Amino acid sequence: MKKVSVFIVDDHYMVVEGIRSLLQNEKDIEWSGHATNGSSCRAFLKQHQPDVILMDINLPDISGIDLCKEIKEKYPRVMILGLSTFNQFSYIEKMMNNGASGYVIKNAGKEELLEAIITVNNGKNYLSDEVSQTLRKPEASGILLTRREKEILLLIAEGKTNIEISRQLFISVNTVDTHRKNLLLKFESKNIASLVRKAAQLELI
Amino acid sequence: MKKVSVFIVDDHYMVVEGIRSLLQNEKDIEWSGHATNGSSCRAFLKQHQPDVILMDINLPDISGIDLCKEIKEKYPRVMILGLSTFNQFSYIEKMMNNGASGYVIKNAGKEELLEAIITVNNGKNYLSDEVSQTLRKPEASGILLTRREKEILLLIAEGKTNIEISRQLFISVNTVDTHRKNLLLKFESKNIASLVRKAAQLELI
DNA sequence: ATACCCATCCCCTTTTTCGATGATTTTTAT
DNA sequence: ATAAAAATCATCGAAAAAGGGGATGGGTAT
C-alpha cells in the first residue's frame, strides 16, 4: 500500500512539532512538509499535492475556513482535515461546509489522529465522537436554526441593521425582520441583547 | 550544571508531544512528565517538584490562572511559565499576577522556549518581545469599564430594557441611557448586538 | 484648590426594534 | 408526488434605542 502523504498548516510551531513527532515512525504515513500560514501553503501546493492536509482554523494571514474552500476548488483530490483547539460548533460546521472531510481537536491522541488521516484519505468523512456530539449541540439545547436564520444571526451579532442585512442578502427588510422575530422566539429572548448573549454562550457565534 | 527538570500541564496532547520532541535532545533539560488537567498535576506535585512547569491557560477542570496561584502558594520554589495560544493582555496579566515567571505563546520556536525555561529557572522573568509588547498596551485588548458600567452591561446582556434597569438600580432612565451610550463608545459598537458579542468574546459577561 | 473622572439627570429627533398577523413561493423530505 | 418546512414579503402601531446636545454634584488625586 502506498504511503499517505500528510501536509500540515499551523502557525503553532509546537503543534507542528508534536504532530511530526507523532507521525514520524508510522509506516503508512509520509511527512510531506508544513506551512505556518496561508500563502506558503498555497506556494507549496503549486509544486506538490499531498493526500491529506491538516489545517488549523486560526492562521495569521487567512482563516483556515476560507483557505479550505480555496484549496478544495483548486485541488479537489486533496483531502482536508480541520484542526483546532476549539470544539466549537460554528467552526466545525463552516469547515465541513467548505469541503473539509473531517475535524480533529488538538487534544486528540495518536490513534485518533491516525484513524482520521486514514479515513479521510479513503474518501470518507471523519468526526470524532466529541466533535459530532458538538455538532448535535444546538439540538441538545433545544434550539434548531435554519440555514438562513444562522446566517442572519451572525450578521445581527456583527452589529448589522436589518436594512444592511437585507441589502447584503438581496432580500426585503420585512423578510429579515421576520427571521429576526423567529430567532427571538426560538431563543426565548425578548430582545437582541439577550439573544446575542445566549447565542454566544452556546458558541453559535 | 544540574539539568533543569520540566513538567508540562496541557490538555492538548499534540502540544505536549511537540514540546517533548523539542526538548528531548537538550542536554540541559530533563523531562519530568506531563499532566492533562489540574488534578493530576496536583497529584504529581505531591511526589515531585520540578524546576519549571509549563502551564496551559485553558485546562479542562481548572483555569491555569487559578492553578498557577495555588501551586505558587504551596511550592514557591517551582517556577511557572504560562503557555497559551493567545497573546491576550488579560491572560498574561493574570498569570503574572498569580506568580508566573513568564509567558510563552505556542507558536514560539525551540530557541525561545529554551531561553524562557533557562531564564525562569534562574529566578528571572521571561516575556518574549511579542508578549511584552501586548502588555504595554492595555487598551488594545482590554476595555476599561467603571463599576457602574460593568453592572449595567450585565443587565443589558440579560435583556433588560433601560426602564427595567433604572427601576432595579433606583436611578433615572436617562442615567441608564448615558451609561449605555458610554458603553457603546468604549466598545466602538454602534448597537447593542455588537456590544454584547464583543463583551461575550472578551468574557466580560 | 483645582482639575478630573464618575455618576447622575434632562431634552430633542430619528431610526430601529418589537409584537401581532396573514399570505405566497420555494425547498426539502418522505 | 405530495406534504411539511423554510423563506419570502407585507402592514400597523407602540415601544425602545441610537445619536445628538448640555448640565450638576461628589469624590479623589496631584
Side-chain angles (χ1 to χ4, degrees):
Chain A
M1 193 176 107
K2 191 187 159 295
K3 284 193 177 188
V4 181
S5 61
V6 175
F7 184 79
I8 174 168
V9 192
D10 195 317
D11 63 322
H12 295 111
Y13 184 58
M14 294 178 190
V15 174
V16 174
E17 209 36 57
I19 295 177
R20 193 213 300 268
S21 153
L22 284 178
L23 298 181
Q24 67 182 351
N25 292 321
E26 288 304 314
K27 59 182 191 314
D28 298 334
I29 305 283
E30 187 183 44
W31 181 261
S32 175
H34 82 274
T36 55
N37 55 58
S39 56
S40 57
C41 174
R42 280 193 202 95
F44 178 87
L45 287 176
K46 281 181 189 155
Q47 308 295 326
H48 316 85
Q49 285 89 49
D51 297 319
V52 177
I53 298 180
L54 296 178
M55 183 173 305
D56 188 22
I57 302 247
N58 303 107
L59 296 172
D61 55 347
I62 185 178
S63 139
I65 292 163
D66 297 335
L67 185 58
C68 178
K69 188 176 185 182
E70 190 187 317
I71 291 175
K72 286 303 278 189
E73 279 165 2
K74 285 190 192 163
Y75 315 99
R77 294 196 49 213
V78 176
M79 295 298 150
I80 297 180
L81 253 179
L83 186 68
S84 174
T85 312
F86 306 107
N87 187 3
Q88 193 171 329
F89 180 82
S90 58
Y91 286 172
I92 305 169
E93 195 194 23
K94 283 176 191 155
M95 277 301 276
M96 300 304 283
N97 285 343
N98 279 2
S101 303
Y103 192 96
V104 175
I105 307 172
K106 284 185 184 171
N107 62 4
K110 186 175 183 172
E111 294 71 27
E112 190 181 334
L113 183 60
L114 279 176
E115 192 186 341
I117 292 173
I118 302 299
T119 306
V120 303
N121 184 56
N122 290 333
K124 285 177 244 167
N125 280 5
Y126 181 89
L127 292 175
S128 68
D129 292 346
E130 208 178 340
V131 167
S132 47
Q133 204 175 340
T134 301
L135 271 188
R136 280 192 295 270
K137 199 171 169 185
E139 272 178 71
S141 67
I143 296 174
L144 272 172
L145 301 182
T146 68
R147 219 178 307 148
R148 203 53 151 178
E149 283 166 352
K150 286 175 200 165
E151 202 176 357
I152 286 175
L153 171 58
L154 277 179
L155 294 171
I156 289 174
E158 281 169 17
K160 302 260 168 70
T161 67
N162 281 2
I163 294 175
E164 285 167 347
I165 295 173
S166 76
R167 290 202 186 114
Q168 184 168 340
L169 301 181
F170 304 104
I171 56 177
S172 148
V173 185
N174 300 301
T175 307
V176 180
D177 195 47
T178 302
H179 287 306
R180 175 184 224 108
K181 286 168 186 167
N182 289 333
L183 283 167
L184 290 174
L185 276 178
K186 289 191 177 179
F187 279 83
E188 290 171 352
S189 294
K190 61 171 194 156
N191 59 33
I192 291 297
S194 113
L195 185 152
V196 172
R197 172 160 154 275
K198 285 181 184 173
Q201 285 175 344
L202 293 172
E203 297 185 332
L204 292 172
I205 55 177
Chain B
M1 192 175 107
K2 190 186 160 297
K3 283 193 179 190
V4 181
S5 59
V6 175
F7 184 79
I8 173 168
V9 192
D10 195 318
D11 63 322
H12 294 110
Y13 184 58
M14 296 179 188
V15 175
V16 174
E17 206 39 54
I19 295 176
R20 192 212 301 265
S21 154
L22 284 176
L23 299 181
Q24 68 182 353
N25 292 321
E26 288 305 314
K27 59 183 190 314
D28 299 335
I29 306 285
E30 188 181 44
W31 183 261
S32 175
H34 81 274
T36 55
N37 54 58
S39 57
S40 57
C41 174
R42 281 193 201 94
F44 177 88
L45 287 176
K46 281 180 188 154
Q47 307 297 326
H48 316 85
Q49 284 88 48
D51 298 319
V52 177
I53 297 180
L54 296 177
M55 183 173 307
D56 189 23
I57 302 248
N58 303 108
L59 296 172
D61 56 345
I62 185 178
S63 141
I65 293 163
D66 296 334
L67 185 58
C68 177
K69 188 175 184 181
E70 189 186 317
I71 291 175
K72 285 303 279 190
E73 279 166 1
K74 285 190 193 163
Y75 316 99
R77 294 196 49 214
V78 176
M79 295 299 152
I80 296 181
L81 253 179
L83 186 67
S84 173
T85 311
F86 307 106
N87 187 3
Q88 195 173 325
F89 178 81
S90 58
Y91 286 173
I92 305 169
E93 194 193 25
K94 283 174 192 157
M95 278 301 277
M96 299 304 284
N97 286 343
N98 279 3
S101 302
Y103 191 95
V104 175
I105 307 173
K106 284 185 185 173
N107 62 4
K110 185 176 181 170
E111 293 71 25
E112 190 181 334
L113 183 62
L114 278 175
E115 193 186 340
I117 292 172
I118 301 299
T119 305
V120 303
N121 184 55
N122 289 334
K124 286 178 244 166
N125 279 5
Y126 181 88
L127 291 176
S128 69
D129 292 346
E130 210 179 337
V131 167
S132 49
Q133 204 174 341
T134 302
L135 265 192
R136 272 195 297 272
K137 40 179 177 180
E139 295 110 31
S141 53
I143 294 171
L144 292 172
L145 301 182
T146 68
R147 225 176 308 145
R148 203 54 153 174
E149 282 166 351
K150 284 177 199 164
E151 201 176 0
I152 287 175
L153 172 58
L154 276 178
L155 294 171
I156 288 173
E158 282 170 16
K160 301 262 169 68
T161 67
N162 282 359
I163 294 175
E164 286 168 347
I165 295 173
S166 75
R167 290 204 184 112
Q168 183 168 339
L169 300 180
F170 304 103
I171 57 179
S172 147
V173 185
N174 302 300
T175 308
V176 179
D177 196 48
T178 303
H179 286 306
R180 180 185 289 256
K181 287 171 187 169
N182 289 333
L183 283 168
L184 289 174
L185 275 179
K186 287 191 177 179
F187 278 85
E188 291 172 352
S189 294
K190 61 169 191 155
N191 58 35
I192 291 299
S194 120
L195 185 151
V196 172
R197 174 160 153 274
K198 286 181 185 174
Q201 286 176 343
L202 293 173
E203 294 181 339
L204 293 171
I205 55 176

